[in-house]
Amino acid sequence: MLSSLQDKRNFLFFIIYLLISGSFALQLGDGTTENQLFPKCVLTDVESVYATDVYSVVLKKDLSVWATGLYAQPFPYVRDECAECNSFIKIKDSVKKIFSNINILLENDTLLHPDSKSMYFSDIFFAETAKNVTYFYEKDYVCAFISKDKSLWMYGAELRDIEISEYSTDYIYYPFSEKIKKVDDNVLDVISKNNILIYLKE
């Protein structure tokens, strides 16, 4: 659902228009690796979009998910041509929401996360995170989701220390953990900012 005026502007007529002038154009999905200096229609019937500087993921109105670019963490900045990276390919069906870092929510309210070490979307596969999920949020190594019963759950890397110098502030984390723990009940929304978790209760 489009929740703000900006969302409505972004998805007017459910058509993506991509505008980029950077050096890496793998995420445009127009079949080329050329920089695009003017808006160009590359997909229609679009419900929502998640994009980074190296890939774009699109949820269409028929509940299919399409992606273009290179998926890797960290991304190897290469200029070699990759034919399968320059156009949108379908990576999943029966999806009703897409979230950051290609976490997706299926029609049956199962949350999936990408579990692939390949940089190519043609090789991507997903693993189950949890069932009966309504909302997912990820920021600063913290992953949180709200279940249908309004309970809040978390997993990720906990902050261990903060090192402050004259020039920077560095956050030191414990190793990332996929162990999910319950935080609270009757939760309506959640965000994380500067390693602080904030959530709204009923």
Side-chain angles (χ1 to χ4, degrees):
M1 178 179 290
L2 303 180
S3 57
S4 68
L5 179 60
Q6 185 61 47
D7 288 336
K8 293 176 182 177
R9 289 173 177 170
N10 288 345
F11 301 116
L12 185 62
F13 305 124
F14 299 105
I15 297 178
I16 305 176
Y17 287 95
L18 298 178
L19 179 63
I20 188 169
S21 58
S23 300
F24 303 99
L26 289 173
Q27 75 276 20
L28 287 177
D30 63 350
T32 75
T33 55
E34 299 298 322
N35 291 338
Q36 183 64 39
L37 302 180
F38 299 96
K40 184 176 185 179
C41 180
V42 292
L43 279 180
T44 59
D45 297 320
V46 171
E47 183 67 28
S48 61
V49 178
Y50 177 76
T52 72
D53 57 343
V54 292
Y55 65 80
S56 299
V57 180
V58 171
L59 173 63
K60 299 190 70 173
K61 294 175 70 176
D62 65 0
L63 304 185
S64 61
V65 177
W66 298 72
T68 185
L70 287 173
Y71 172 67
Q73 299 293 337
F75 174 76
Y77 283 99
V78 294
R79 293 179 180 270
D80 296 338
E81 289 192 11
C82 169
E84 68 180 87
C85 304
N86 304 330
S87 300
F88 278 96
I89 62 172
K90 184 191 291 188
I91 61 173
K92 201 68 178 175
D93 282 308
S94 302
V95 175
K96 67 178 183 180
K97 289 182 182 179
I98 54 175
F99 300 104
S100 60
N101 291 330
I102 325 177
N103 289 271
I104 61 177
L105 188 64
L106 299 180
E107 279 188 290
N108 63 3
D109 297 319
T110 299
L111 180 67
L112 304 180
H113 63 272
D115 191 17
S116 173
K117 299 186 183 303
S118 171
M119 72 176 67
Y120 302 108
F121 277 110
S122 58
D123 298 328
I124 197 169
F125 56 90
F126 295 87
E128 181 179 311
T129 302
K131 296 183 182 296
N132 299 317
V133 174
T134 60
Y135 181 73
F136 174 82
Y137 185 86
E138 180 178 11
K139 180 74 172 179
D140 298 328
Y141 301 101
V142 172
C143 302
F145 63 87
I146 300 174
S147 294
K148 295 177 74 173
D149 63 0
K150 298 181 182 178
S151 57
L152 175 63
W153 302 77
M154 287 180 56
Y155 62 98
E158 301 229 27
L159 185 65
R160 184 181 69 190
D161 197 7
I162 301 176
E163 296 182 353
I164 301 176
S165 68
E166 183 179 354
Y167 303 102
S168 66
T169 299
D170 297 320
Y171 297 95
I172 312 301
Y173 293 89
Y174 289 104
F176 189 94
S177 173
E178 295 183 356
K179 184 177 181 180
I180 299 172
K181 64 180 182 180
K182 186 176 181 179
V183 178
D184 208 342
D185 292 308
N186 301 316
V187 176
L188 300 177
D189 201 359
V190 58
I191 62 171
S192 176
K193 183 68 175 177
N194 294 330
N195 297 284
I196 299 174
L197 185 73
I198 305 170
Y199 59 91
L200 175 66
K201 294 194 63 170
E202 282 187 319

